[in-house]
Short mmCIF file of all heavy atoms in Angstrom, two decimals:
data_model
loop_
_atom_site.label_atom_id
_atom_site.label_comp_id
_atom_site.label_asym_id
_atom_site.label_seq_id
_atom_site.Cartn_x
_atom_site.Cartn_y
_atom_site.Cartn_z
N ASP A 228 1.84 27.03 16.08
CA ASP A 228 1.88 25.82 15.22
C ASP A 228 0.45 25.43 14.75
O ASP A 228 0.27 24.86 13.70
CB ASP A 228 2.47 24.65 15.97
CG ASP A 228 3.89 24.89 16.35
OD1 ASP A 228 4.73 25.13 15.48
OD2 ASP A 228 4.22 24.91 17.57
N HIS A 229 -0.53 25.71 15.62
CA HIS A 229 -1.92 25.30 15.36
C HIS A 229 -2.90 26.41 15.66
O HIS A 229 -2.71 27.13 16.65
CB HIS A 229 -2.30 24.07 16.19
CG HIS A 229 -1.38 22.91 16.08
ND1 HIS A 229 -1.58 21.88 15.21
CD2 HIS A 229 -0.19 22.64 16.74
CE1 HIS A 229 -0.58 21.03 15.33
NE2 HIS A 229 0.26 21.48 16.24
N VAL A 230 -3.92 26.53 14.86
CA VAL A 230 -5.03 27.44 15.14
C VAL A 230 -6.34 26.66 14.97
O VAL A 230 -6.51 25.91 13.99
CB VAL A 230 -5.05 28.63 14.17
CG1 VAL A 230 -6.19 29.59 14.52
CG2 VAL A 230 -3.74 29.34 14.09
N ILE A 231 -7.24 26.83 15.92
CA ILE A 231 -8.62 26.35 15.68
C ILE A 231 -9.42 27.65 15.43
O ILE A 231 -9.61 28.48 16.31
CB ILE A 231 -9.20 25.60 16.89
CG1 ILE A 231 -8.44 24.29 17.08
CG2 ILE A 231 -10.69 25.32 16.67
CD1 ILE A 231 -9.16 23.28 17.94
N ASP A 232 -9.87 27.79 14.16
CA ASP A 232 -10.57 29.00 13.77
C ASP A 232 -12.09 28.81 13.93
O ASP A 232 -12.66 27.95 13.24
CB ASP A 232 -10.24 29.36 12.32
CG ASP A 232 -10.83 30.70 11.92
OD1 ASP A 232 -12.07 30.77 11.79
OD2 ASP A 232 -10.10 31.66 11.77
N ILE A 233 -12.69 29.49 14.89
CA ILE A 233 -14.13 29.36 15.11
C ILE A 233 -14.91 30.56 14.59
O ILE A 233 -16.13 30.57 14.55
CB ILE A 233 -14.46 29.14 16.59
CG1 ILE A 233 -13.90 30.24 17.47
CG2 ILE A 233 -13.98 27.77 17.06
CD1 ILE A 233 -14.78 31.36 17.78
N GLY A 234 -14.17 31.62 14.13
CA GLY A 234 -14.84 32.85 13.73
C GLY A 234 -15.17 32.92 12.27
O GLY A 234 -15.98 33.75 11.83
N GLY A 235 -14.48 32.13 11.40
CA GLY A 235 -14.74 32.17 9.98
C GLY A 235 -14.44 33.55 9.42
O GLY A 235 -13.28 34.01 9.46
N GLY A 236 -15.43 34.19 8.86
CA GLY A 236 -15.23 35.46 8.17
C GLY A 236 -14.47 36.51 8.98
O GLY A 236 -13.66 37.26 8.46
N ALA A 237 -14.74 36.55 10.29
CA ALA A 237 -14.14 37.62 11.13
C ALA A 237 -12.72 37.28 11.54
O ALA A 237 -11.97 38.17 11.90
CB ALA A 237 -14.98 37.80 12.39
N THR A 238 -12.35 36.01 11.45
CA THR A 238 -11.05 35.61 12.04
C THR A 238 -10.06 34.92 11.11
O THR A 238 -8.89 34.81 11.44
CB THR A 238 -11.32 34.63 13.22
OG1 THR A 238 -12.20 33.60 12.77
CG2 THR A 238 -11.95 35.35 14.39
N LEU A 239 -10.52 34.47 9.93
CA LEU A 239 -9.60 33.60 9.11
C LEU A 239 -8.33 34.35 8.74
O LEU A 239 -7.23 33.74 8.86
CB LEU A 239 -10.34 33.09 7.88
CG LEU A 239 -9.52 32.14 7.01
CD1 LEU A 239 -8.89 31.02 7.77
CD2 LEU A 239 -10.33 31.62 5.86
N GLN A 240 -8.43 35.60 8.30
CA GLN A 240 -7.18 36.31 7.94
C GLN A 240 -6.28 36.46 9.13
O GLN A 240 -5.06 36.35 9.07
CB GLN A 240 -7.48 37.66 7.27
CG GLN A 240 -6.23 38.43 6.85
CD GLN A 240 -5.31 37.61 5.94
OE1 GLN A 240 -5.73 37.01 4.94
NE2 GLN A 240 -4.01 37.58 6.27
N HIS A 241 -6.88 36.71 10.31
CA HIS A 241 -6.11 36.83 11.55
C HIS A 241 -5.41 35.46 11.82
O HIS A 241 -4.27 35.41 12.26
CB HIS A 241 -7.00 37.15 12.74
CG HIS A 241 -7.29 38.63 12.84
ND1 HIS A 241 -6.38 39.55 13.21
CD2 HIS A 241 -8.46 39.31 12.62
CE1 HIS A 241 -6.92 40.74 13.25
NE2 HIS A 241 -8.22 40.63 12.87
N SER A 242 -6.16 34.37 11.60
CA SER A 242 -5.56 33.03 11.87
C SER A 242 -4.37 32.79 10.96
O SER A 242 -3.35 32.25 11.41
CB SER A 242 -6.61 31.95 11.66
OG SER A 242 -7.68 32.09 12.58
N ILE A 243 -4.51 33.17 9.67
CA ILE A 243 -3.39 33.04 8.72
C ILE A 243 -2.19 33.83 9.18
O ILE A 243 -1.04 33.38 9.16
CB ILE A 243 -3.88 33.42 7.31
CG1 ILE A 243 -4.94 32.42 6.82
CG2 ILE A 243 -2.72 33.54 6.33
CD1 ILE A 243 -5.70 32.93 5.59
N ASN A 244 -2.44 35.04 9.66
CA ASN A 244 -1.36 35.91 10.14
C ASN A 244 -0.73 35.33 11.41
O ASN A 244 0.52 35.40 11.59
CB ASN A 244 -1.92 37.31 10.38
CG ASN A 244 -0.84 38.31 10.75
OD1 ASN A 244 0.22 38.28 10.10
ND2 ASN A 244 -1.09 39.13 11.74
N ALA A 245 -1.56 34.74 12.28
CA ALA A 245 -1.05 34.29 13.58
C ALA A 245 -0.26 33.01 13.49
O ALA A 245 0.53 32.66 14.38
CB ALA A 245 -2.23 34.04 14.53
N ALA A 246 -0.43 32.24 12.37
CA ALA A 246 0.22 30.93 12.25
C ALA A 246 1.71 31.03 11.94
O ALA A 246 2.13 31.94 11.18
CB ALA A 246 -0.46 30.09 11.16
N ARG A 247 2.46 30.14 12.50
CA ARG A 247 3.89 30.02 12.20
C ARG A 247 4.08 29.42 10.80
O ARG A 247 3.15 28.78 10.28
CB ARG A 247 4.50 29.08 13.25
CG ARG A 247 5.98 28.96 13.24
CD ARG A 247 6.45 27.78 14.09
NE ARG A 247 6.09 27.84 15.47
CZ ARG A 247 6.72 28.57 16.40
NH1 ARG A 247 7.79 29.23 16.07
NH2 ARG A 247 6.32 28.54 17.65
N THR A 248 5.24 29.61 10.20
CA THR A 248 5.55 28.94 8.93
C THR A 248 5.33 27.41 9.11
O THR A 248 5.72 26.87 10.14
CB THR A 248 7.02 29.18 8.58
OG1 THR A 248 7.21 30.56 8.48
CG2 THR A 248 7.41 28.57 7.25
N SER A 249 4.68 26.80 8.13
CA SER A 249 4.28 25.36 8.20
C SER A 249 3.24 25.07 9.26
O SER A 249 3.03 23.95 9.62
CB SER A 249 5.49 24.44 8.38
OG SER A 249 6.37 24.56 7.34
N GLY A 250 2.57 26.12 9.76
CA GLY A 250 1.52 25.94 10.75
C GLY A 250 0.26 25.32 10.13
O GLY A 250 0.14 25.22 8.93
N GLN A 251 -0.63 24.96 11.02
CA GLN A 251 -1.88 24.29 10.61
C GLN A 251 -3.05 25.10 11.10
O GLN A 251 -3.10 25.48 12.27
CB GLN A 251 -1.98 22.94 11.23
CG GLN A 251 -0.75 22.11 11.12
CD GLN A 251 -1.04 20.70 10.79
OE1 GLN A 251 -2.17 20.36 10.40
NE2 GLN A 251 -0.09 19.86 10.96
N ILE A 252 -4.03 25.28 10.25
CA ILE A 252 -5.26 25.99 10.64
C ILE A 252 -6.41 25.05 10.41
O ILE A 252 -6.64 24.55 9.33
CB ILE A 252 -5.46 27.26 9.81
CG1 ILE A 252 -4.25 28.23 9.99
CG2 ILE A 252 -6.76 27.98 10.21
CD1 ILE A 252 -4.32 29.47 9.16
N SER A 253 -7.21 24.77 11.47
CA SER A 253 -8.40 23.95 11.37
C SER A 253 -9.61 24.91 11.30
O SER A 253 -9.85 25.66 12.22
CB SER A 253 -8.56 23.06 12.58
OG SER A 253 -7.56 22.11 12.62
N LEU A 254 -10.29 24.86 10.16
CA LEU A 254 -11.50 25.68 10.00
C LEU A 254 -12.69 24.93 10.58
O LEU A 254 -13.04 23.88 10.11
CB LEU A 254 -11.75 25.98 8.50
CG LEU A 254 -10.70 26.78 7.79
CD1 LEU A 254 -11.16 27.07 6.37
CD2 LEU A 254 -10.46 28.08 8.52
N VAL A 255 -13.24 25.54 11.59
CA VAL A 255 -14.28 24.83 12.38
C VAL A 255 -15.60 25.59 12.41
O VAL A 255 -16.65 25.00 12.33
CB VAL A 255 -13.71 24.57 13.80
CG1 VAL A 255 -14.83 24.30 14.77
CG2 VAL A 255 -12.73 23.41 13.82
N GLY A 256 -15.53 26.91 12.54
CA GLY A 256 -16.74 27.67 12.83
C GLY A 256 -16.98 28.87 12.01
O GLY A 256 -16.08 29.31 11.19
N ILE A 257 -18.15 29.43 12.20
CA ILE A 257 -18.59 30.60 11.39
C ILE A 257 -19.23 31.67 12.29
O ILE A 257 -20.10 32.43 11.82
CB ILE A 257 -19.68 30.13 10.38
CG1 ILE A 257 -20.72 29.23 11.05
CG2 ILE A 257 -18.97 29.37 9.23
CD1 ILE A 257 -21.98 28.98 10.21
N LEU A 258 -18.76 31.78 13.53
CA LEU A 258 -19.39 32.72 14.45
C LEU A 258 -19.26 34.17 13.97
O LEU A 258 -20.07 35.03 14.31
CB LEU A 258 -18.85 32.59 15.86
CG LEU A 258 -19.22 31.30 16.60
CD1 LEU A 258 -18.54 31.21 17.96
CD2 LEU A 258 -20.71 31.15 16.72
N GLY A 259 -18.22 34.44 13.14
CA GLY A 259 -18.03 35.80 12.63
C GLY A 259 -18.34 35.90 11.14
O GLY A 259 -17.86 36.83 10.50
N GLY A 260 -19.18 35.00 10.59
CA GLY A 260 -19.58 35.08 9.21
C GLY A 260 -19.06 33.93 8.37
O GLY A 260 -18.10 33.27 8.71
N VAL A 261 -19.74 33.70 7.21
CA VAL A 261 -19.46 32.52 6.39
C VAL A 261 -18.55 32.81 5.25
O VAL A 261 -18.07 31.90 4.55
CB VAL A 261 -20.76 31.86 5.85
CG1 VAL A 261 -21.60 31.33 6.97
CG2 VAL A 261 -21.59 32.82 5.04
N THR A 262 -18.27 34.07 4.93
CA THR A 262 -17.31 34.35 3.86
C THR A 262 -16.14 35.19 4.39
O THR A 262 -16.33 36.00 5.31
CB THR A 262 -17.98 35.14 2.70
OG1 THR A 262 -18.61 36.30 3.23
CG2 THR A 262 -18.99 34.27 1.96
N ALA A 263 -15.01 34.94 3.79
CA ALA A 263 -13.79 35.65 4.27
C ALA A 263 -12.98 36.09 3.08
O ALA A 263 -12.92 35.43 2.02
CB ALA A 263 -12.93 34.69 5.11
N THR A 264 -12.29 37.24 3.21
CA THR A 264 -11.31 37.68 2.24
C THR A 264 -9.95 37.42 2.83
O THR A 264 -9.67 37.90 3.94
CB THR A 264 -11.48 39.19 1.93
OG1 THR A 264 -12.83 39.41 1.47
CG2 THR A 264 -10.51 39.69 0.87
N VAL A 265 -9.12 36.68 2.11
CA VAL A 265 -7.81 36.30 2.69
C VAL A 265 -6.65 36.65 1.75
O VAL A 265 -6.87 36.77 0.55
CB VAL A 265 -7.75 34.82 3.07
CG1 VAL A 265 -8.76 34.47 4.12
CG2 VAL A 265 -7.85 33.92 1.87
N ASN A 266 -5.50 36.81 2.35
CA ASN A 266 -4.29 37.07 1.60
C ASN A 266 -3.71 35.73 1.15
O ASN A 266 -3.08 35.04 1.96
CB ASN A 266 -3.32 37.84 2.55
CG ASN A 266 -2.00 38.15 1.85
OD1 ASN A 266 -1.53 37.45 0.96
ND2 ASN A 266 -1.43 39.31 2.22
N VAL A 267 -3.95 35.32 -0.10
CA VAL A 267 -3.56 33.99 -0.56
C VAL A 267 -2.04 33.78 -0.51
O VAL A 267 -1.59 32.73 -0.04
CB VAL A 267 -4.17 33.71 -1.95
CG1 VAL A 267 -3.66 32.41 -2.54
CG2 VAL A 267 -5.69 33.75 -1.90
N PRO A 268 -1.23 34.75 -0.97
CA PRO A 268 0.21 34.50 -0.96
C PRO A 268 0.73 34.23 0.47
O PRO A 268 1.71 33.46 0.63
CB PRO A 268 0.83 35.81 -1.49
CG PRO A 268 -0.25 36.41 -2.27
CD PRO A 268 -1.57 36.02 -1.63
N MET A 269 0.03 34.77 1.47
CA MET A 269 0.51 34.52 2.84
C MET A 269 0.36 33.03 3.17
O MET A 269 1.13 32.47 3.95
CB MET A 269 -0.28 35.36 3.82
CG MET A 269 0.41 35.59 5.15
SD MET A 269 -0.61 36.45 6.35
CE MET A 269 -0.11 38.13 6.09
N ILE A 270 -0.66 32.40 2.57
CA ILE A 270 -0.90 30.95 2.84
C ILE A 270 0.20 30.11 2.22
O ILE A 270 0.84 29.27 2.86
CB ILE A 270 -2.27 30.50 2.31
CG1 ILE A 270 -3.40 31.28 3.03
CG2 ILE A 270 -2.43 28.98 2.49
CD1 ILE A 270 -4.76 30.94 2.49
N PHE A 271 0.53 30.45 0.91
CA PHE A 271 1.56 29.52 0.30
C PHE A 271 2.97 29.92 0.66
O PHE A 271 3.83 29.06 0.80
CB PHE A 271 1.35 29.36 -1.21
CG PHE A 271 1.40 30.56 -2.10
CD1 PHE A 271 2.59 31.24 -2.30
CD2 PHE A 271 0.26 31.05 -2.76
CE1 PHE A 271 2.66 32.33 -3.17
CE2 PHE A 271 0.30 32.13 -3.59
CZ PHE A 271 1.54 32.76 -3.80
N SER A 272 3.19 31.20 0.87
CA SER A 272 4.60 31.56 1.24
C SER A 272 4.95 31.01 2.62
O SER A 272 6.10 30.66 2.90
CB SER A 272 4.81 33.04 1.14
OG SER A 272 3.95 33.73 2.04
N LYS A 273 3.95 30.88 3.49
CA LYS A 273 4.22 30.29 4.82
C LYS A 273 4.02 28.76 4.82
O LYS A 273 4.20 28.08 5.83
CB LYS A 273 3.28 30.92 5.88
CG LYS A 273 3.67 32.35 6.25
CD LYS A 273 2.58 33.05 7.01
CE LYS A 273 2.61 32.77 8.48
NZ LYS A 273 1.65 33.63 9.28
N GLN A 274 3.63 28.23 3.66
CA GLN A 274 3.35 26.81 3.55
C GLN A 274 2.39 26.30 4.61
O GLN A 274 2.62 25.27 5.24
CB GLN A 274 4.63 25.99 3.52
CG GLN A 274 5.48 26.26 2.28
CD GLN A 274 6.29 25.06 1.83
OE1 GLN A 274 6.69 25.00 0.69
NE2 GLN A 274 6.48 24.06 2.69
N LEU A 275 1.31 27.04 4.78
CA LEU A 275 0.32 26.65 5.80
C LEU A 275 -0.53 25.48 5.26
O LEU A 275 -0.74 25.33 4.11
CB LEU A 275 -0.60 27.80 6.09
CG LEU A 275 0.04 29.10 6.62
CD1 LEU A 275 -1.01 30.14 6.92
CD2 LEU A 275 0.88 28.80 7.85
N GLN A 276 -0.97 24.65 6.21
CA GLN A 276 -2.01 23.66 5.92
C GLN A 276 -3.31 24.16 6.49
O GLN A 276 -3.41 24.38 7.71
CB GLN A 276 -1.67 22.34 6.59
CG GLN A 276 -0.43 21.66 6.03
CD GLN A 276 -0.24 20.30 6.63
OE1 GLN A 276 -1.17 19.47 6.63
NE2 GLN A 276 0.91 20.09 7.20
N VAL A 277 -4.27 24.32 5.61
CA VAL A 277 -5.63 24.81 6.06
C VAL A 277 -6.61 23.69 5.80
O VAL A 277 -6.75 23.25 4.67
CB VAL A 277 -6.02 26.09 5.28
CG1 VAL A 277 -7.37 26.61 5.79
CG2 VAL A 277 -4.93 27.15 5.42
N HIS A 278 -7.23 23.18 6.84
CA HIS A 278 -8.17 22.06 6.62
C HIS A 278 -9.49 22.29 7.31
O HIS A 278 -9.57 22.89 8.37
CB HIS A 278 -7.57 20.72 7.00
CG HIS A 278 -6.80 20.71 8.27
ND1 HIS A 278 -5.47 20.34 8.33
CD2 HIS A 278 -7.15 21.04 9.50
CE1 HIS A 278 -5.09 20.41 9.58
NE2 HIS A 278 -6.09 20.87 10.30
N GLY A 279 -10.54 21.76 6.66
CA GLY A 279 -11.89 21.84 7.28
C GLY A 279 -12.03 20.61 8.19
O GLY A 279 -11.51 19.55 7.91
N VAL A 280 -12.78 20.83 9.27
CA VAL A 280 -13.02 19.75 10.24
C VAL A 280 -14.52 19.61 10.52
O VAL A 280 -15.16 20.63 10.76
CB VAL A 280 -12.27 20.02 11.57
CG1 VAL A 280 -12.71 19.03 12.64
CG2 VAL A 280 -10.76 19.95 11.36
N ALA A 281 -15.03 18.41 10.37
CA ALA A 281 -16.46 18.15 10.67
C ALA A 281 -16.50 17.09 11.78
O ALA A 281 -16.33 15.89 11.50
CB ALA A 281 -17.18 17.69 9.42
N VAL A 282 -16.65 17.50 12.99
CA VAL A 282 -16.84 16.69 14.17
C VAL A 282 -15.87 15.49 14.11
O VAL A 282 -14.66 15.66 14.31
CB VAL A 282 -18.28 16.28 14.43
CG1 VAL A 282 -18.48 15.81 15.89
CG2 VAL A 282 -19.18 17.49 14.21
N GLY A 283 -16.33 14.27 13.84
CA GLY A 283 -15.41 13.10 13.80
C GLY A 283 -16.17 11.81 13.87
O GLY A 283 -17.43 11.76 13.85
#
Side-chain angles (χ1 to χ4, degrees):
D228 298 300
H229 305 266
V230 182
I231 294 197
D232 187 290
I233 55 93
T238 50
L239 181 53
Q240 181 54 48
H241 279 289
S242 296
I243 292 166
N244 187 41
R247 187 193 299 279
T248 302
S249 297
Q251 313 221 14
I252 300 175
S253 293
L254 296 185
V255 159
I257 49 167
L258 291 176
V261 295
T262 54
T264 303
V265 298
N266 181 328
V267 175
M269 202 186 267
I270 299 176
F271 61 70
S272 59
K273 287 166 84 171
Q274 293 213 160
L275 301 181
Q276 293 185 52
V277 182
H278 42 239
V280 170
V282 197

